[in-house]
Amino acid sequence: MHPQRTAIIGGNWKMNTDRASGLALAGSIARGVQELHNAGKRVEVAVFPPFVYLPLISEALCAASSRVMLGAQDVYHAERGAFTGEISVLQLQDVGVGTVLAGHSERRHVIHEGDDQINLKVRAILHHGLRCVLCVGEKLEQRETDQTNTVNERQVRLGLRDVRPDELDRLVIAYEPVWAIGTGKVASPEDAQDAHRHIRAVLADLFGKDAAAGVRIQYGGSVTAANAAELLKQPDIDGALVGGASLKEADFMAIVRAAAQ
Ligand code: PGA
């Protein structure tokens, strides 16, 4: 983690929690983050609950005047209209969402979203002034055949097509190797750093070195309280996107504390 970038930790709850457990989890994370800020620590934290609980969690975070940012796990690119079952950026904004994931590996590989669709989402999110977390990452067979950097580069370039340099301050990249997500197999800090360095080089090629140095790149894939600190020591790892371990307050807050500067 470079001192010029503030670490950012996201808790992706996926299709987990219900009203009561989500509220309890958000409440305790809000208290934990407040304590860190009171102690003068610097770290950004976001939670990504399921769509249906966003208004509920939003109200709870507002009532607690929390610094925890509310995130959505996905979005549809159009603003409104006949798109049954979909949710727009405007609707997310209306309930207090400040950050949105695009291209999460489960959207790419379970729901079969393609790079073009993901790019439309990225542009819609940034256009409306929200923060976008573009997720990229290689599958196991791609890593085994030495295609990690090629795959990440393609997903970054296609995902960011027609994104303007002035929108970059709202962009976060999450590098999440597919084989590491939900498997307990975390990338080694060195392998993760290699992938992050390459992604930053791609950003530099697209937007210039200075702009690329300002973009935060999170690592995701089986991050736990036990392995977070080692990953976060790497110069190009600026935070974590956490799935399983984000559902337990103690585990998630241990990761947040490891990232706080
Ligand atoms: P995991 O999920 O931490 O459970 O591996 C990470 C993610 O999908 O963002």
Side-chain angles (χ1 to χ4, degrees):
M1 204 158 48
H2 193 283
Q4 105 183 50
R5 298 185 285 267
T6 301
I8 177 167
I9 305 293
N12 176 9
W13 298 358
K14 309 194 180 184
M15 205 170 70
N16 297 300
T17 67
D18 53 22
R19 289 171 67 98
S21 62
L23 264 184
L25 185 57
S28 43
I29 291 168
R31 283 190 293 280
V33 170
Q34 189 60 48
E35 278 167 25
L36 281 174
H37 280 277
N38 291 347
K41 299 281 189 184
R42 192 160 55 99
V43 60
E44 284 179 31
V45 179
V47 292
F48 298 83
F51 279 135
V52 287
Y53 304 126
L54 286 172
L56 184 76
I57 306 289
S58 176
E59 280 162 29
L61 292 176
C62 278
S65 311
S66 176
R67 295 161 180 275
V68 175
M69 192 179 254
L70 185 66
Q73 299 173 17
D74 187 36
V75 70
Y76 192 68
H77 67 271
E79 289 189 354
R80 59 179 65 77
F83 302 103
T84 302
E86 297 294 340
I87 307 225
S88 75
V89 180
L90 296 178
Q91 291 168 327
L92 293 178
Q93 234 169 357
D94 191 33
V95 298
V97 166
T99 179
V100 187
L101 303 183
H104 186 275
S105 119
E106 285 137 27
R107 305 289 320 169
R108 289 180 190 267
H109 303 298
V110 182
I111 321 281
H112 302 297
E113 275 180 21
D115 286 300
D116 290 347
Q117 200 177 353
I118 293 163
N119 174 248
L120 289 173
K121 295 181 184 206
V122 169
R123 281 156 53 193
I125 296 163
L126 294 173
H127 173 75
H128 288 286
L130 275 76
R131 179 194 289 156
C132 173
V133 183
L134 170 64
C135 307
V136 302
E138 82 286 358
K139 294 186 183 176
L140 184 58
E141 62 268 28
Q142 294 168 326
R143 170 158 287 265
E144 285 172 341
T145 50
D146 244 352
Q147 296 178 71
T148 298
N149 287 342
T150 322
V151 170
N152 289 334
E153 175 159 357
R154 188 175 61 233
Q155 292 180 355
V156 168
R157 286 187 187 276
L158 295 177
L160 298 183
R161 208 176 43 217
D162 294 330
V163 165
R164 298 192 316 263
D166 64 294
E167 296 175 315
L168 275 200
D169 59 340
R170 298 194 297 282
L171 177 75
V172 172
I173 305 281
Y175 166 61
E176 301 199 294
V178 180
W179 49 270
I181 296 181
T183 57
K185 292 188 197 129
V186 63
S188 71
E190 295 74 25
D191 284 350
Q193 165 59 23
D194 273 354
H196 282 231
R197 190 194 302 115
H198 186 76
I199 290 169
R200 201 175 301 285
V202 175
L203 292 173
D205 186 49
L206 287 170
F207 300 103
K209 207 161 182 283
D210 288 352
V215 176
R216 282 153 324 157
I217 307 176
Q218 297 176 299
Y219 169 80
S222 297
V223 175
T224 62
N227 60 31
E230 282 306 309
L231 288 159
L232 291 165
K233 271 188 203 154
Q234 301 298 317
D236 287 296
I237 300 187
D238 308 311
L241 185 55
V242 187
S246 75
L247 296 170
K248 294 196 194 99
E249 186 262 339
D251 292 357
F252 186 65
M253 282 312 299
I255 296 168
V256 171
R257 275 193 297 275
Q261 291 151 298

